[in-house]
Short mmCIF file of all heavy atoms in Angstrom, two decimals:
data_model
loop_
_atom_site.label_atom_id
_atom_site.label_comp_id
_atom_site.label_asym_id
_atom_site.label_seq_id
_atom_site.Cartn_x
_atom_site.Cartn_y
_atom_site.Cartn_z
N ILE E 20 -64.81 -17.63 -27.70
CA ILE E 20 -66.08 -17.00 -28.06
C ILE E 20 -65.89 -15.49 -28.17
O ILE E 20 -66.35 -14.87 -29.14
CB ILE E 20 -67.18 -17.37 -27.05
CG1 ILE E 20 -67.56 -18.84 -27.21
CG2 ILE E 20 -68.41 -16.47 -27.23
CD1 ILE E 20 -68.45 -19.40 -26.12
N ALA E 21 -65.22 -14.88 -27.20
CA ALA E 21 -65.00 -13.44 -27.23
C ALA E 21 -64.18 -13.05 -28.46
O ALA E 21 -64.50 -12.06 -29.14
CB ALA E 21 -64.29 -12.98 -25.96
N ASP E 22 -63.13 -13.81 -28.76
CA ASP E 22 -62.30 -13.51 -29.94
C ASP E 22 -63.10 -13.60 -31.23
O ASP E 22 -62.99 -12.74 -32.11
CB ASP E 22 -61.10 -14.46 -30.01
CG ASP E 22 -60.06 -14.20 -28.93
OD1 ASP E 22 -60.11 -13.13 -28.28
OD2 ASP E 22 -59.20 -15.10 -28.73
N LEU E 23 -63.92 -14.64 -31.35
CA LEU E 23 -64.73 -14.81 -32.56
C LEU E 23 -65.80 -13.72 -32.66
O LEU E 23 -66.09 -13.23 -33.75
CB LEU E 23 -65.38 -16.20 -32.57
CG LEU E 23 -64.41 -17.37 -32.77
CD1 LEU E 23 -65.12 -18.69 -32.50
CD2 LEU E 23 -63.83 -17.35 -34.18
N ARG E 24 -66.36 -13.34 -31.53
CA ARG E 24 -67.37 -12.26 -31.52
C ARG E 24 -66.75 -10.96 -32.01
O ARG E 24 -67.31 -10.28 -32.87
CB ARG E 24 -67.93 -12.08 -30.10
CG ARG E 24 -68.87 -10.88 -29.98
CD ARG E 24 -69.34 -10.66 -28.57
NE ARG E 24 -68.32 -10.46 -27.57
CZ ARG E 24 -67.63 -9.32 -27.40
NH1 ARG E 24 -67.83 -8.28 -28.19
NH2 ARG E 24 -66.73 -9.23 -26.43
N VAL E 25 -65.58 -10.62 -31.49
CA VAL E 25 -64.90 -9.38 -31.89
C VAL E 25 -64.51 -9.45 -33.37
O VAL E 25 -64.69 -8.47 -34.11
CB VAL E 25 -63.68 -9.12 -30.99
CG1 VAL E 25 -62.82 -7.99 -31.53
CG2 VAL E 25 -64.14 -8.82 -29.57
N ALA E 26 -64.01 -10.60 -33.81
CA ALA E 26 -63.63 -10.76 -35.22
C ALA E 26 -64.83 -10.60 -36.15
O ALA E 26 -64.68 -10.16 -37.30
CB ALA E 26 -62.97 -12.12 -35.44
N ALA E 27 -66.02 -10.93 -35.64
CA ALA E 27 -67.26 -10.78 -36.42
C ALA E 27 -67.85 -9.38 -36.28
O ALA E 27 -68.95 -9.12 -36.76
CB ALA E 27 -68.27 -11.82 -35.97
N HIS E 28 -67.10 -8.48 -35.62
CA HIS E 28 -67.50 -7.07 -35.45
C HIS E 28 -68.78 -6.91 -34.65
O HIS E 28 -69.59 -6.03 -34.94
CB HIS E 28 -67.62 -6.38 -36.82
CG HIS E 28 -66.40 -6.51 -37.65
ND1 HIS E 28 -65.21 -5.87 -37.35
CD2 HIS E 28 -66.15 -7.25 -38.76
CE1 HIS E 28 -64.30 -6.19 -38.24
NE2 HIS E 28 -64.83 -7.03 -39.11
N HIS E 29 -68.94 -7.77 -33.65
CA HIS E 29 -70.07 -7.66 -32.73
C HIS E 29 -69.61 -7.03 -31.42
O HIS E 29 -68.57 -7.40 -30.89
CB HIS E 29 -70.65 -9.04 -32.37
CG HIS E 29 -71.66 -9.57 -33.32
ND1 HIS E 29 -72.93 -9.07 -33.42
CD2 HIS E 29 -71.59 -10.59 -34.21
CE1 HIS E 29 -73.60 -9.75 -34.32
NE2 HIS E 29 -72.80 -10.68 -34.82
N THR E 30 -70.39 -6.11 -30.91
CA THR E 30 -70.22 -5.68 -29.53
C THR E 30 -70.94 -6.72 -28.68
O THR E 30 -71.71 -7.54 -29.20
CB THR E 30 -70.87 -4.30 -29.29
OG1 THR E 30 -72.29 -4.42 -29.51
CG2 THR E 30 -70.27 -3.24 -30.20
N GLN E 31 -70.74 -6.66 -27.37
CA GLN E 31 -71.49 -7.58 -26.52
C GLN E 31 -72.98 -7.32 -26.68
O GLN E 31 -73.77 -8.26 -26.72
CB GLN E 31 -71.07 -7.45 -25.06
CG GLN E 31 -69.79 -8.17 -24.75
CD GLN E 31 -69.49 -8.23 -23.28
OE1 GLN E 31 -70.02 -7.45 -22.48
NE2 GLN E 31 -68.62 -9.15 -22.89
N GLU E 32 -73.34 -6.06 -26.78
CA GLU E 32 -74.76 -5.72 -26.92
C GLU E 32 -75.37 -6.29 -28.20
O GLU E 32 -76.44 -6.91 -28.17
CB GLU E 32 -74.94 -4.20 -26.88
CG GLU E 32 -76.39 -3.77 -26.89
CD GLU E 32 -76.54 -2.27 -26.73
OE1 GLU E 32 -75.78 -1.67 -25.95
OE2 GLU E 32 -77.43 -1.71 -27.39
N SER E 33 -74.70 -6.07 -29.33
CA SER E 33 -75.25 -6.58 -30.59
C SER E 33 -75.26 -8.11 -30.62
O SER E 33 -76.15 -8.73 -31.19
CB SER E 33 -74.48 -6.03 -31.80
OG SER E 33 -73.16 -6.55 -31.87
N PHE E 34 -74.26 -8.72 -29.95
CA PHE E 34 -74.19 -10.17 -29.92
C PHE E 34 -75.31 -10.74 -29.05
O PHE E 34 -75.89 -11.78 -29.39
CB PHE E 34 -72.82 -10.62 -29.40
CG PHE E 34 -72.48 -12.03 -29.76
CD1 PHE E 34 -72.40 -12.44 -31.08
CD2 PHE E 34 -72.21 -12.95 -28.77
CE1 PHE E 34 -72.08 -13.74 -31.41
CE2 PHE E 34 -71.87 -14.25 -29.09
CZ PHE E 34 -71.81 -14.65 -30.41
N ALA E 66 -75.07 -17.43 -34.40
CA ALA E 66 -74.85 -15.98 -34.57
C ALA E 66 -73.50 -15.69 -35.22
O ALA E 66 -73.34 -14.68 -35.90
CB ALA E 66 -74.95 -15.27 -33.23
N LEU E 67 -72.55 -16.60 -35.02
CA LEU E 67 -71.22 -16.43 -35.63
C LEU E 67 -71.13 -17.09 -37.00
O LEU E 67 -70.10 -16.99 -37.67
CB LEU E 67 -70.15 -17.03 -34.71
CG LEU E 67 -69.95 -16.30 -33.38
CD1 LEU E 67 -69.07 -17.12 -32.46
CD2 LEU E 67 -69.36 -14.91 -33.63
#
Side-chain angles (χ1 to χ4, degrees):
I20 290 169
D22 290 346
L23 291 169
R24 173 184 58 76
V25 170
H28 307 290
H29 274 288
T30 63
Q31 280 189 341
E32 185 175 321
S33 69
F34 200 60
L67 293 169

